[in-house]
Every structure is written in C-alpha cells, then in structure tokens.
Amino acid sequence: MKAGPKNLITDVEGLLVGNAQDASLSSGVSVLTGARPFTAGLHVMGGAPGTRESDLLAPDRLVQQVDALVLSGGSAFGLAACDGVMAGLRAQGRGFAVGDQHVPIVPGAILFDLLNGGNKDWQANPYPGLGLEAFLAASDKFAIGTAGAGFGAMTGTLKGGLGSASAVLENGLTVGALVAVNALGSVNVGKSAQFWAAPWEIDAEFGGLGAARAHDPHFEPEPAKRAGEATTIAIIATDAALDQAQVTRMATAAHDGMARAIHPSHSLLDGDLVFGAATGAKELADPLRDTFQLGHVAACVLARAIARAIYEAQTMPGDIQPCWHDIHETSARGAD
C-alpha cells in the first residue's frame, strides 16, 4: 500500500471534512460528510463511550446510510454539535425521506476536554454552532493537529490532537482515517520522542524517527485521568462497496491500529470507538480477499493517523501539556 495524494481521509473520493474550534473554549468539532449518504457502522471497545444515534448503526436497523458523522469535544455537551450539522443538512434538503419531510441522519461521538484549561463558563451550549460551522467548512482539504475535535485534546503524557491518514491498495481501493486523540494512554514510548506506531509509518509522515530500540517490559501504567476524561474517537472510511455488516467489521479491525499506537488503550476509563464508512464507489473484485485486506489496512491507517495527530499538534496559550515537538527538541539537544 501507499499513502494517498493528500494523506487524508478525503482521499476517499466523495468525502469531505470540516473543522471548527473555539480557542477560548479550547475545544472543537470535526464533521465528515459527502455529496451523498454513505453506509456506516460502529464498534466500541472503550468502557466510557459517549455517542448519539449509535444504535441506528447496527446492521439490522432500518436506516443503513448516514448523511454525516460528527466527532466533538465537550463531553456530553458536545453531542449537541450534531444538532448544528442536522440544521445545515436540512437547509440543503438532505436527509431520510419521511413523507414530505427529510430527517438528516447524523451519528456522533464525543471526548472529554472539560478540564483542559479552556473557559467552560458558557451561558448557552456552544456546540450546535460549532457543529454547523464545521459542516459549512467541509472540504477535501483540512487541518490536522490542533484543530477541530482535537483542538483541546490531551493524552497521558503529551498534547493530543486531530489526525488523518490514507492508503491506496494495489487493487485500487482507498482507505482513510480521521481520529481525535484524547487518550488515557501514551502515543510515545516512555519519555522518548519515538511513536508506538513507528513500524507502520510511511514517508516520514510523523518525523521518521523509527521505532524505539527498547521499552520497559515491566512498566505498569497508572490512570492519569479519571473515568470519562479520556477517549480516542475515530472514523475509518473506504470507497469500497460494503454493506453495513462489512463496514462494522472493518471498524472492528481498525481497533487493532488503536492498540498499536496507544499504550494502554481500550481501558475502562476510555471511550474508545471507531465509526466505519463506505461510499460504495468501487465494487469488490474478490469479496473475501478484499474485505480481508480492508481490515488490515484500516488498522495500519488508524495507527498512522493517531501518531500524526500528536506529531502535528501545536503549542497554544494556556496549554497544560507539552507538544510532541517540545520533547523532540529536548531529546535532540540531549543527543548533541
């Protein structure tokens, strides 16, 4: 496989991403949408998830496609970002047709960033407005790092962020990932600048430092956050023609990438989850082989996107955690 031309989830043709953030709030929203509805699924492995319309994504439900997927900060307040996205879609006449009405289908997931130093003393919930702003900003090019749903994210050791990556398979199918990393665990190995995801890096996309030579096999992590304060929320997308069960299986396989990139992951304190999305633009040439490969590539791409989220994070006023570049510069000076 090779990275797509933009190395973003929008290398899956037909998909767009919009970001909106509020620097004083230290939070934001990211929206994945497209010109047409797309098939979606969901798999949750964290013990503290926060979702909206998640039950709708089971393969035996009536509605098989969605109009957008939302990743948001704000804990449960952030679920209201979906309201803003629904408003934007409804204004365009989009949604599930019921008589003469159209109901936009907008599942969403949230991460906890209420204790990151931003001003949370709002009078009215800001997330519907951020959701609409992100939807209206949707494009095939978007910022990662300190942006969108990852704007105020943190990890167990370093500042978190929004990440994305893509891969094109030899059979022509494309897979992309979008992820907001607010994990309890760490993406870097010990106190080094090396990423756990390094073995899956393509073209030095997150620094090209290679894998760490060693780590402490006896390390026993302590929960640096409390229940509900952590979460990595992601979307894995493809242009393959998949049904909802196949999309859900791809999302399930993608969790392997989360485990490769974050140590530890999927804890009782995290709300780790992965949405799956398929535009259906390309038929499967070999259904068994192609779906097998899509699961593998989904995990690889998500691991890379997680590392890119941390690598691209930028220092902002009021930060309470260092950025990856801070420890990299310290390590580099120490090596000199």
Side-chain angles (χ1 to χ4, degrees), residues 287-304:
L288 179 60
R289 180 177 183 271
D290 290 348
T291 53
F292 173 82
Q293 288 192 336
L294 285 173
H296 165 69
V297 175
C300 297
V301 171
L302 182 53
R304 293 166 46 215

Side-chain angles (χ1 to χ4, degrees), residues 141-163:
K141 297 179 181 179
F142 59 95
I144 61 174
T146 306
F151 190 87
M154 301 189 295
T155 75
T157 54
L158 297 175
K159 186 173 181 178
L162 184 74

Side-chain angles (χ1 to χ4, degrees), residues 239-255:
D239 52 5
L242 303 179
D243 61 28
Q244 203 165 35
Q246 291 171 319
V247 168
T248 302
R249 172 48 52 186
M250 181 179 67
T252 302
H255 274 283

Side-chain angles (χ1 to χ4, degrees), residues 8-284:
L8 298 172
I9 195 172
T10 49
D11 283 323
V12 177
E13 187 175 359
L15 294 182
L16 306 171
V17 171
N19 288 329
Q21 54 274 324
D22 182 328
S24 64
L25 184 67
S26 194
S27 187
V29 175
S30 297
V31 176
L32 177 80
T33 189
R36 292 176 297 279
F38 50 88
T39 303
L42 172 67
H43 191 260
V44 180
M45 288 190 69
T51 59
R52 171 165 161 164
E53 298 275 35
S54 57
D55 286 350
L56 191 66
L57 300 179
D60 62 342
R61 300 297 191 260
L62 171 65
V63 178
Q64 299 287 298
Q65 295 189 315
V66 305
D67 297 291
L69 293 170
V70 176
L71 306 180
S72 178
S75 189
F77 300 105
L79 293 174
C82 298
D83 292 340
V85 179
M86 287 184 70
L89 287 161
R90 188 172 187 271
Q92 296 179 3
R94 295 182 55 180
F96 185 73
V98 184
D100 62 352
Q101 296 295 313
H102 288 82
V103 181
I105 307 300
V106 184
I110 48 87
L111 55 81
F112 186 98
D113 58 4
L114 298 181
L115 300 178
N116 63 4
N119 178 15
K120 307 302 193 292
D121 188 25
W122 63 73
Q123 298 302 308
N125 190 330
Y127 288 96
L130 287 170
L132 178 59
E133 182 182 345
F135 173 73
L136 295 176
S139 170
D140 64 343
K141 297 179 181 179
F142 59 95
I144 61 174
T146 306
F151 190 87
M154 301 189 295
T155 75
T157 54
L158 297 175
K159 186 173 181 178
L162 184 74
S164 192
S166 68
V168 181
L169 287 69
E170 288 187 359
N171 61 14
L173 296 176
T174 299
V175 176
L178 179 71
V179 59
V181 185
N182 189 62
L184 182 149
S186 300
V187 296
N188 58 309
V189 183
K191 296 181 179 180
S192 75
Q194 269 93 359
F195 289 99
W196 288 109
W200 292 273
E201 186 176 17
I202 295 178
D203 298 332
E205 62 194 331
F206 41 86
L209 299 183
R213 295 182 179 179
H215 66 91
D216 183 1
H218 307 292
F219 174 68
E220 297 181 7
E222 295 290 337
K225 298 182 180 181
R226 294 170 295 185
E229 292 182 10
T231 287
T232 297
I233 47 179
I235 304 169
I236 194 79
T238 182
D239 52 5
L242 303 179
D243 61 28
Q244 203 165 35
Q246 291 171 319
V247 168
T248 302
R249 172 48 52 186
M250 181 179 67
T252 302
H255 274 283
D256 288 351
M258 199 177 293
R260 295 170 187 173
I262 303 169
H263 285 213
S265 58
H266 303 139
S267 77
L268 180 65
L269 307 182
D270 287 290
D272 297 343
L273 60 83
V274 180
F275 288 107
T279 65
K282 296 180 180 179
E283 294 295 331
L284 301 178

